[in-house]
Amino acid sequence: MAPSLVLTGARVVLPTGVVDDGRVVVEGTKIGGEAPGNADVLDVTGHWLVPGFVDIHNHGGGGASFSGTVDDVLRAIRTHRLHGTTTLIASTVTDEMDLLVQQAGLLSELAEQGDIAGIHFEGPFISPCRKGAHSEELLRDPDPSEVRKLIDAGRGKAKMVTLATELPGGIDSVRVLAEHGVIAAIGHTDATYEQTIKAIDAGATVATHLFNAMPTLGHRSPGPIAALLEDERVTVELINDGTHLHPAALELAFHHAGASRVAFITDAMDAAGIGDGRYMLGPLEVEVSEGVARLVEGGSIAGSTLTLDRAFKRAVTVDKLPVEDAVAALSANPARLLGLSDRIGSLEPGKDADLVLLDTNFDLKGVMRRGEWVVAPQLP
């Protein structure tokens, strides 16, 4: 067995705050307590140590999609791990139900192996008025029996379903999801304020990429945004790439929801970690130019090319968030939402040794997952 490793000298972000000149002990796959005398020591003075990032909404990366083959899925996972995401949920896009059921079987096997933490179905139960980069002819109302079909196909690994809860069957579908321990997420919705409250009362607990693919906040018709921000039961997803949200919108979300109810996501598609070009998002063609993904037909924003290390850096350098708040949004909050806070989401003894090493400019310099370096430390 390899000796324990002690990382010393870093600014360590713990649940209780930032510890200067801190140390983190790694024993096998876990974070340890006291280091044994024969432990290896790595001096990372001048760096930050934060928990591994947790992405609950991600469609792919590295030129591959979570709607593809096993090799595609593994390539996308690897791409995001290289950028600090040590835990992720694989998101599908709207497709034929039979194909979604088939993909759920493939993804559930990878979840059983520990490669992903579960499955997120974004569509087909979404509003044609707010379809974004989803194929309109494949959309359908959220029939509870079909929702149950996806849950069953996931073999216990279905973690979240995004749906427009104002559609016929929407509220009953939320109840079905809640009964089976699957997160009901409100998104791609044209709901009113009152309809959104009804869905939350029925058991919906997540806002899928808040602000995007939903009515804007109005002073007479506040719509879903106000209802989702004000309710303590709801965690709001934010895509912090500088394209999906104006900084003032992000500040508004943090001000009203508080740092404990925000989860930064990528909503990444194939181009994440690769670059500009033509890609497919489900059955739709996407053009990526200067890092922004848009549908070739219609020009709607089609996911992002974001990675969570970039979302973190933007949060603390552009948005001026406290580092502790960024860590909560990238690690602790999504881990808690998934019911995994006993294992991931913070740097505490007994939890998985998932951590990210950042320099003083908040650029990624190392990634460890379950005690093994995915990105070896790049030290001066």
Side-chain angles (χ1 to χ4, degrees), residues 147-189:
V147 171
R148 177 64 190 270
K149 188 177 181 180
L150 289 183
I151 295 171
D152 291 344
R155 303 203 305 252
K157 301 303 180 182
K159 293 293 184 182
M160 184 161 65
V161 176
T162 293
L163 63 169
T165 53
E166 76 278 7
L167 296 175
I171 296 299
D172 287 340
S173 294
V174 169
R175 293 193 181 106
V176 167
L177 291 167
E179 287 167 6
H180 287 83
V182 179
I183 296 164
I186 299 172
H188 289 275
T189 176

mmCIF file of all heavy atoms in Angstrom, residues 147-189:
data_model
loop_
_atom_site.group_PDB
_atom_site.id
_atom_site.type_symbol
_atom_site.label_atom_id
_atom_site.label_comp_id
_atom_site.label_asym_id
_atom_site.label_seq_id
_atom_site.Cartn_x
_atom_site.Cartn_y
_atom_site.Cartn_z
ATOM 1 N N VAL A 147 -42.681 9.057 -17.356
ATOM 2 C CA VAL A 147 -41.661 9.462 -16.381
ATOM 3 C C VAL A 147 -41.205 8.248 -15.592
ATOM 4 O O VAL A 147 -40.005 8.033 -15.369
ATOM 5 C CB VAL A 147 -42.218 10.563 -15.454
ATOM 6 C CG1 VAL A 147 -41.254 10.842 -14.311
ATOM 7 C CG2 VAL A 147 -42.479 11.852 -16.244
ATOM 8 N N ARG A 148 -42.151 7.440 -15.169
ATOM 9 C CA ARG A 148 -41.824 6.216 -14.430
ATOM 10 C C ARG A 148 -40.991 5.258 -15.294
ATOM 11 O O ARG A 148 -40.089 4.574 -14.793
ATOM 12 C CB ARG A 148 -43.121 5.539 -13.966
ATOM 13 C CG ARG A 148 -42.927 4.211 -13.253
ATOM 14 C CD ARG A 148 -42.164 4.365 -11.940
ATOM 15 N NE ARG A 148 -41.790 3.063 -11.404
ATOM 16 C CZ ARG A 148 -42.565 2.353 -10.575
ATOM 17 N NH1 ARG A 148 -43.741 2.835 -10.180
ATOM 18 N NH2 ARG A 148 -42.162 1.189 -10.136
ATOM 19 N N LYS A 149 -41.271 5.238 -16.577
ATOM 20 C CA LYS A 149 -40.502 4.386 -17.494
ATOM 21 C C LYS A 149 -39.023 4.778 -17.503
ATOM 22 O O LYS A 149 -38.136 3.915 -17.499
ATOM 23 C CB LYS A 149 -41.101 4.497 -18.904
ATOM 24 C CG LYS A 149 -40.533 3.523 -19.920
ATOM 25 C CD LYS A 149 -41.262 3.671 -21.248
ATOM 26 C CE LYS A 149 -40.731 2.691 -22.283
ATOM 27 N NZ LYS A 149 -41.433 2.833 -23.597
ATOM 28 N N LEU A 150 -38.749 6.081 -17.502
ATOM 29 C CA LEU A 150 -37.353 6.538 -17.458
ATOM 30 C C LEU A 150 -36.709 6.202 -16.113
ATOM 31 O O LEU A 150 -35.544 5.801 -16.060
ATOM 32 C CB LEU A 150 -37.285 8.040 -17.718
ATOM 33 C CG LEU A 150 -37.569 8.525 -19.138
ATOM 34 C CD1 LEU A 150 -37.385 10.025 -19.227
ATOM 35 C CD2 LEU A 150 -36.686 7.809 -20.156
ATOM 36 N N ILE A 151 -37.463 6.390 -15.036
ATOM 37 C CA ILE A 151 -36.936 6.054 -13.711
ATOM 38 C C ILE A 151 -36.533 4.582 -13.667
ATOM 39 O O ILE A 151 -35.436 4.221 -13.221
ATOM 40 C CB ILE A 151 -37.974 6.360 -12.614
ATOM 41 C CG1 ILE A 151 -38.261 7.855 -12.527
ATOM 42 C CG2 ILE A 151 -37.482 5.837 -11.261
ATOM 43 C CD1 ILE A 151 -39.425 8.195 -11.606
ATOM 44 N N ASP A 152 -37.418 3.727 -14.145
ATOM 45 C CA ASP A 152 -37.147 2.285 -14.118
ATOM 46 C C ASP A 152 -35.955 1.938 -15.001
ATOM 47 O O ASP A 152 -35.129 1.083 -14.641
ATOM 48 C CB ASP A 152 -38.379 1.511 -14.597
ATOM 49 C CG ASP A 152 -39.543 1.583 -13.610
ATOM 50 O OD1 ASP A 152 -39.298 1.969 -12.446
ATOM 51 O OD2 ASP A 152 -40.683 1.274 -14.010
ATOM 52 N N ALA A 153 -35.835 2.607 -16.150
ATOM 53 C CA ALA A 153 -34.712 2.331 -17.056
ATOM 54 C C ALA A 153 -33.379 2.687 -16.416
ATOM 55 O O ALA A 153 -32.350 2.093 -16.747
ATOM 56 C CB ALA A 153 -34.893 3.109 -18.358
ATOM 57 N N GLY A 154 -33.417 3.641 -15.497
ATOM 58 C CA GLY A 154 -32.192 4.055 -14.824
ATOM 59 C C GLY A 154 -31.733 3.116 -13.734
ATOM 60 O O GLY A 154 -30.646 3.307 -13.166
ATOM 61 N N ARG A 155 -32.535 2.114 -13.401
ATOM 62 C CA ARG A 155 -32.157 1.078 -12.425
ATOM 63 C C ARG A 155 -31.582 1.669 -11.137
ATOM 64 O O ARG A 155 -30.542 1.249 -10.640
ATOM 65 C CB ARG A 155 -31.155 0.107 -13.043
ATOM 66 C CG ARG A 155 -31.644 -0.563 -14.311
ATOM 67 C CD ARG A 155 -30.931 -1.872 -14.588
ATOM 68 N NE ARG A 155 -29.501 -1.755 -14.631
ATOM 69 C CZ ARG A 155 -28.754 -1.832 -15.733
ATOM 70 N NH1 ARG A 155 -29.325 -1.969 -16.913
ATOM 71 N NH2 ARG A 155 -27.450 -1.760 -15.676
ATOM 72 N N GLY A 156 -32.296 2.655 -10.611
ATOM 73 C CA GLY A 156 -31.864 3.261 -9.357
ATOM 74 C C GLY A 156 -30.840 4.363 -9.518
ATOM 75 O O GLY A 156 -30.422 4.961 -8.518
ATOM 76 N N LYS A 157 -30.410 4.645 -10.741
ATOM 77 C CA LYS A 157 -29.378 5.655 -10.984
ATOM 78 C C LYS A 157 -29.937 6.940 -11.597
ATOM 79 O O LYS A 157 -29.174 7.865 -11.868
ATOM 80 C CB LYS A 157 -28.280 5.090 -11.884
ATOM 81 C CG LYS A 157 -27.590 3.862 -11.303
ATOM 82 C CD LYS A 157 -26.976 4.143 -9.930
ATOM 83 C CE LYS A 157 -26.296 2.910 -9.365
ATOM 84 N NZ LYS A 157 -25.726 3.162 -8.009
ATOM 85 N N ALA A 158 -31.249 6.996 -11.825
ATOM 86 C CA ALA A 158 -31.871 8.252 -12.278
ATOM 87 C C ALA A 158 -31.878 9.217 -11.104
ATOM 88 O O ALA A 158 -32.447 8.929 -10.048
ATOM 89 C CB ALA A 158 -33.286 7.991 -12.768
ATOM 90 N N LYS A 159 -31.230 10.346 -11.259
ATOM 91 C CA LYS A 159 -31.096 11.308 -10.164
ATOM 92 C C LYS A 159 -31.972 12.548 -10.341
ATOM 93 O O LYS A 159 -32.380 13.160 -9.358
ATOM 94 C CB LYS A 159 -29.633 11.755 -10.026
ATOM 95 C CG LYS A 159 -28.687 10.670 -9.575
ATOM 96 C CD LYS A 159 -28.973 10.234 -8.149
ATOM 97 C CE LYS A 159 -27.961 9.214 -7.662
ATOM 98 N NZ LYS A 159 -28.261 8.764 -6.288
ATOM 99 N N MET A 160 -32.243 12.929 -11.602
ATOM 100 C CA MET A 160 -32.970 14.171 -11.819
ATOM 101 C C MET A 160 -33.676 14.140 -13.176
ATOM 102 O O MET A 160 -33.159 13.588 -14.136
ATOM 103 C CB MET A 160 -32.007 15.368 -11.737
ATOM 104 C CG MET A 160 -32.662 16.736 -11.859
ATOM 105 S SD MET A 160 -31.601 18.072 -11.232
ATOM 106 C CE MET A 160 -30.225 18.009 -12.392
ATOM 107 N N VAL A 161 -34.860 14.750 -13.208
ATOM 108 C CA VAL A 161 -35.601 14.929 -14.454
ATOM 109 C C VAL A 161 -36.027 16.389 -14.533
ATOM 110 O O VAL A 161 -36.633 16.915 -13.597
ATOM 111 C CB VAL A 161 -36.849 14.023 -14.524
ATOM 112 C CG1 VAL A 161 -37.635 14.312 -15.806
ATOM 113 C CG2 VAL A 161 -36.454 12.549 -14.460
ATOM 114 N N THR A 162 -35.669 17.058 -15.624
ATOM 115 C CA THR A 162 -36.119 18.430 -15.860
ATOM 116 C C THR A 162 -37.426 18.388 -16.636
ATOM 117 O O THR A 162 -37.519 17.703 -17.652
ATOM 118 C CB THR A 162 -35.068 19.217 -16.659
ATOM 119 O OG1 THR A 162 -33.906 19.399 -15.855
ATOM 120 C CG2 THR A 162 -35.608 20.583 -17.064
ATOM 121 N N LEU A 163 -38.433 19.132 -16.160
ATOM 122 C CA LEU A 163 -39.712 19.160 -16.851
ATOM 123 C C LEU A 163 -40.405 20.498 -16.675
ATOM 124 O O LEU A 163 -40.122 21.246 -15.736
ATOM 125 C CB LEU A 163 -40.613 18.011 -16.392
ATOM 126 C CG LEU A 163 -41.095 17.899 -14.962
ATOM 127 C CD1 LEU A 163 -42.192 16.832 -14.871
ATOM 128 C CD2 LEU A 163 -39.974 17.519 -13.998
ATOM 129 N N ALA A 164 -41.278 20.794 -17.636
ATOM 130 C CA ALA A 164 -42.120 21.984 -17.553
ATOM 131 C C ALA A 164 -43.375 21.578 -16.801
ATOM 132 O O ALA A 164 -44.275 20.943 -17.354
ATOM 133 C CB ALA A 164 -42.456 22.495 -18.953
ATOM 134 N N THR A 165 -43.413 21.928 -15.539
ATOM 135 C CA THR A 165 -44.447 21.385 -14.649
ATOM 136 C C THR A 165 -45.832 21.949 -14.910
ATOM 137 O O THR A 165 -46.822 21.421 -14.399
ATOM 138 C CB THR A 165 -44.049 21.639 -13.185
ATOM 139 O OG1 THR A 165 -43.764 23.039 -13.020
ATOM 140 C CG2 THR A 165 -42.813 20.849 -12.819
ATOM 141 N N GLU A 166 -45.924 23.014 -15.738
ATOM 142 C CA GLU A 166 -47.241 23.580 -16.054
ATOM 143 C C GLU A 166 -47.973 22.776 -17.129
ATOM 144 O O GLU A 166 -49.181 22.954 -17.329
ATOM 145 C CB GLU A 166 -47.097 25.039 -16.512
ATOM 146 C CG GLU A 166 -46.583 25.242 -17.932
ATOM 147 C CD GLU A 166 -45.069 25.150 -18.067
ATOM 148 O OE1 GLU A 166 -44.416 24.797 -17.067
ATOM 149 O OE2 GLU A 166 -44.557 25.434 -19.167
ATOM 150 N N LEU A 167 -47.264 21.896 -17.806
ATOM 151 C CA LEU A 167 -47.884 21.093 -18.859
ATOM 152 C C LEU A 167 -48.808 20.035 -18.256
ATOM 153 O O LEU A 167 -48.649 19.646 -17.095
ATOM 154 C CB LEU A 167 -46.804 20.416 -19.708
ATOM 155 C CG LEU A 167 -45.882 21.343 -20.511
ATOM 156 C CD1 LEU A 167 -44.801 20.530 -21.197
ATOM 157 C CD2 LEU A 167 -46.683 22.144 -21.529
ATOM 158 N N PRO A 168 -49.784 19.525 -19.040
ATOM 159 C CA PRO A 168 -50.652 18.462 -18.529
ATOM 160 C C PRO A 168 -49.843 17.273 -18.010
ATOM 161 O O PRO A 168 -48.928 16.802 -18.690
ATOM 162 C CB PRO A 168 -51.478 18.076 -19.765
ATOM 163 C CG PRO A 168 -51.501 19.303 -20.610
ATOM 164 C CD PRO A 168 -50.159 19.957 -20.400
ATOM 165 N N GLY A 169 -50.151 16.845 -16.803
ATOM 166 C CA GLY A 169 -49.412 15.747 -16.187
ATOM 167 C C GLY A 169 -48.189 16.188 -15.415
ATOM 168 O O GLY A 169 -47.532 15.366 -14.761
ATOM 169 N N GLY A 170 -47.867 17.479 -15.456
ATOM 170 C CA GLY A 170 -46.638 17.961 -14.824
ATOM 171 C C GLY A 170 -46.613 17.786 -13.322
ATOM 172 O O GLY A 170 -45.631 17.275 -12.756
ATOM 173 N N ILE A 171 -47.670 18.183 -12.647
ATOM 174 C CA ILE A 171 -47.695 18.099 -11.186
ATOM 175 C C ILE A 171 -47.706 16.643 -10.736
ATOM 176 O O ILE A 171 -46.987 16.257 -9.803
ATOM 177 C CB ILE A 171 -48.912 18.863 -10.623
ATOM 178 C CG1 ILE A 171 -48.789 20.362 -10.948
ATOM 179 C CG2 ILE A 171 -49.022 18.656 -9.116
ATOM 180 C CD1 ILE A 171 -47.574 21.043 -10.369
ATOM 181 N N ASP A 172 -48.499 15.810 -11.406
ATOM 182 C CA ASP A 172 -48.515 14.383 -11.059
ATOM 183 C C ASP A 172 -47.142 13.754 -11.299
ATOM 184 O O ASP A 172 -46.700 12.884 -10.530
ATOM 185 C CB ASP A 172 -49.576 13.646 -11.875
ATOM 186 C CG ASP A 172 -50.996 13.961 -11.416
ATOM 187 O OD1 ASP A 172 -51.144 14.425 -10.262
ATOM 188 O OD2 ASP A 172 -51.936 13.755 -12.204
ATOM 189 N N SER A 173 -46.449 14.195 -12.333
ATOM 190 C CA SER A 173 -45.111 13.670 -12.611
ATOM 191 C C SER A 173 -44.117 14.081 -11.525
ATOM 192 O O SER A 173 -43.243 13.297 -11.141
ATOM 193 C CB SER A 173 -44.628 14.148 -13.981
ATOM 194 O OG SER A 173 -45.414 13.597 -15.009
ATOM 195 N N VAL A 174 -44.237 15.320 -11.040
ATOM 196 C CA VAL A 174 -43.393 15.758 -9.930
ATOM 197 C C VAL A 174 -43.607 14.844 -8.723
ATOM 198 O O VAL A 174 -42.644 14.430 -8.061
ATOM 199 C CB VAL A 174 -43.691 17.225 -9.556
ATOM 200 C CG1 VAL A 174 -43.023 17.595 -8.234
ATOM 201 C CG2 VAL A 174 -43.216 18.164 -10.660
ATOM 202 N N ARG A 175 -44.832 14.526 -8.448
ATOM 203 C CA ARG A 175 -45.130 13.660 -7.304
ATOM 204 C C ARG A 175 -44.527 12.263 -7.489
ATOM 205 O O ARG A 175 -43.984 11.675 -6.540
ATOM 206 C CB ARG A 175 -46.644 13.575 -7.095
ATOM 207 C CG ARG A 175 -47.276 14.902 -6.664
ATOM 208 C CD ARG A 175 -48.694 14.707 -6.167
ATOM 209 N NE ARG A 175 -49.281 15.985 -5.781
ATOM 210 C CZ ARG A 175 -50.202 16.638 -6.485
ATOM 211 N NH1 ARG A 175 -50.650 16.120 -7.641
ATOM 212 N NH2 ARG A 175 -50.694 17.788 -6.054
ATOM 213 N N VAL A 176 -44.607 11.739 -8.705
ATOM 214 C CA VAL A 176 -44.011 10.431 -8.998
ATOM 215 C C VAL A 176 -42.501 10.471 -8.757
ATOM 216 O O VAL A 176 -41.925 9.572 -8.133
ATOM 217 C CB VAL A 176 -44.313 10.001 -10.452
ATOM 218 C CG1 VAL A 176 -43.443 8.812 -10.862
ATOM 219 C CG2 VAL A 176 -45.780 9.654 -10.612
ATOM 220 N N LEU A 177 -41.854 11.526 -9.246
ATOM 221 C CA LEU A 177 -40.412 11.661 -9.057
ATOM 222 C C LEU A 177 -40.066 11.740 -7.573
ATOM 223 O O LEU A 177 -39.147 11.045 -7.097
ATOM 224 C CB LEU A 177 -39.898 12.906 -9.787
ATOM 225 C CG LEU A 177 -39.937 12.827 -11.321
ATOM 226 C CD1 LEU A 177 -39.727 14.192 -11.940
ATOM 227 C CD2 LEU A 177 -38.885 11.846 -11.830
ATOM 228 N N ALA A 178 -40.786 12.566 -6.837
ATOM 229 C CA ALA A 178 -40.518 12.716 -5.402
ATOM 230 C C ALA A 178 -40.707 11.394 -4.668
ATOM 231 O O ALA A 178 -39.907 11.038 -3.778
ATOM 232 C CB ALA A 178 -41.422 13.797 -4.813
ATOM 233 N N GLU A 179 -41.741 10.644 -5.036
ATOM 234 C CA GLU A 179 -42.000 9.357 -4.382
ATOM 235 C C GLU A 179 -40.866 8.361 -4.612
ATOM 236 O O GLU A 179 -40.629 7.485 -3.777
ATOM 237 C CB GLU A 179 -43.315 8.764 -4.912
ATOM 238 C CG GLU A 179 -44.566 9.476 -4.404
ATOM 239 C CD GLU A 179 -45.810 9.081 -5.193
ATOM 240 O OE1 GLU A 179 -45.699 8.169 -6.052
ATOM 241 O OE2 GLU A 179 -46.877 9.672 -4.946
ATOM 242 N N HIS A 180 -40.174 8.499 -5.737
ATOM 243 C CA HIS A 180 -39.094 7.565 -6.068
ATOM 244 C C HIS A 180 -37.704 8.130 -5.740
ATOM 245 O O HIS A 180 -36.687 7.544 -6.135
ATOM 246 C CB HIS A 180 -39.170 7.178 -7.549
ATOM 247 C CG HIS A 180 -40.310 6.262 -7.869
ATOM 248 N ND1 HIS A 180 -41.595 6.724 -8.090
ATOM 249 C CD2 HIS A 180 -40.374 4.913 -7.971
ATOM 250 C CE1 HIS A 180 -42.394 5.703 -8.331
ATOM 251 N NE2 HIS A 180 -41.686 4.598 -8.258
ATOM 252 N N GLY A 181 -37.668 9.244 -5.038
ATOM 253 C CA GLY A 181 -36.391 9.803 -4.623
ATOM 254 C C GLY A 181 -35.586 10.412 -5.752
ATOM 255 O O GLY A 181 -34.362 10.513 -5.666
ATOM 256 N N VAL A 182 -36.263 10.818 -6.833
ATOM 257 C CA VAL A 182 -35.605 11.452 -7.973
ATOM 258 C C VAL A 182 -35.922 12.945 -7.941
ATOM 259 O O VAL A 182 -37.065 13.342 -7.706
ATOM 260 C CB VAL A 182 -36.088 10.831 -9.307
ATOM 261 C CG1 VAL A 182 -35.409 11.505 -10.495
ATOM 262 C CG2 VAL A 182 -35.815 9.330 -9.317
ATOM 263 N N ILE A 183 -34.911 13.773 -8.182
ATOM 264 C CA ILE A 183 -35.089 15.223 -8.133
ATOM 265 C C ILE A 183 -35.965 15.673 -9.297
ATOM 266 O O ILE A 183 -35.686 15.360 -10.459
ATOM 267 C CB ILE A 183 -33.732 15.938 -8.207
ATOM 268 C CG1 ILE A 183 -32.873 15.594 -6.991
ATOM 269 C CG2 ILE A 183 -33.910 17.449 -8.332
ATOM 270 C CD1 ILE A 183 -31.407 15.941 -7.167
ATOM 271 N N ALA A 184 -37.024 16.402 -8.973
ATOM 272 C CA ALA A 184 -37.840 17.051 -10.001
ATOM 273 C C ALA A 184 -37.316 18.467 -10.175
ATOM 274 O O ALA A 184 -37.318 19.261 -9.229
ATOM 275 C CB ALA A 184 -39.311 17.067 -9.589
ATOM 276 N N ALA A 185 -36.833 18.781 -11.383
ATOM 277 C CA ALA A 185 -36.246 20.089 -11.676
ATOM 278 C C ALA A 185 -37.163 20.852 -12.624
ATOM 279 O O ALA A 185 -37.604 20.316 -13.642
ATOM 280 C CB ALA A 185 -34.867 19.932 -12.299
ATOM 281 N N ILE A 186 -37.447 22.096 -12.286
ATOM 282 C CA ILE A 186 -38.303 22.945 -13.110
ATOM 283 C C ILE A 186 -37.428 23.676 -14.125
ATOM 284 O O ILE A 186 -36.504 24.407 -13.746
ATOM 285 C CB ILE A 186 -39.062 23.962 -12.244
ATOM 286 C CG1 ILE A 186 -39.958 23.232 -11.231
ATOM 287 C CG2 ILE A 186 -39.888 24.903 -13.100
ATOM 288 C CD1 ILE A 186 -40.599 24.146 -10.208
ATOM 289 N N GLY A 187 -37.699 23.457 -15.411
ATOM 290 C CA GLY A 187 -36.877 24.101 -16.420
ATOM 291 C C GLY A 187 -37.476 23.992 -17.810
ATOM 292 O O GLY A 187 -38.403 23.210 -18.031
ATOM 293 N N HIS A 188 -36.945 24.775 -18.735
ATOM 294 C CA HIS A 188 -37.520 24.859 -20.081
ATOM 295 C C HIS A 188 -39.034 24.991 -19.940
ATOM 296 O O HIS A 188 -39.813 24.230 -20.522
ATOM 297 C CB HIS A 188 -37.132 23.640 -20.916
ATOM 298 C CG HIS A 188 -35.681 23.646 -21.312
ATOM 299 N ND1 HIS A 188 -35.218 24.321 -22.423
ATOM 300 C CD2 HIS A 188 -34.589 23.082 -20.726
ATOM 301 C CE1 HIS A 188 -33.906 24.157 -22.523
ATOM 302 N NE2 HIS A 188 -33.501 23.420 -21.495
ATOM 303 N N THR A 189 -39.426 25.986 -19.154
ATOM 304 C CA THR A 189 -40.801 26.136 -18.698
ATOM 305 C C THR A 189 -41.369 27.498 -19.077
ATOM 306 O O THR A 189 -40.630 28.481 -19.165
ATOM 307 C CB THR A 189 -40.853 25.962 -17.163
ATOM 308 O OG1 THR A 189 -42.183 26.189 -16.696
ATOM 309 C CG2 THR A 189 -39.926 26.951 -16.453
#
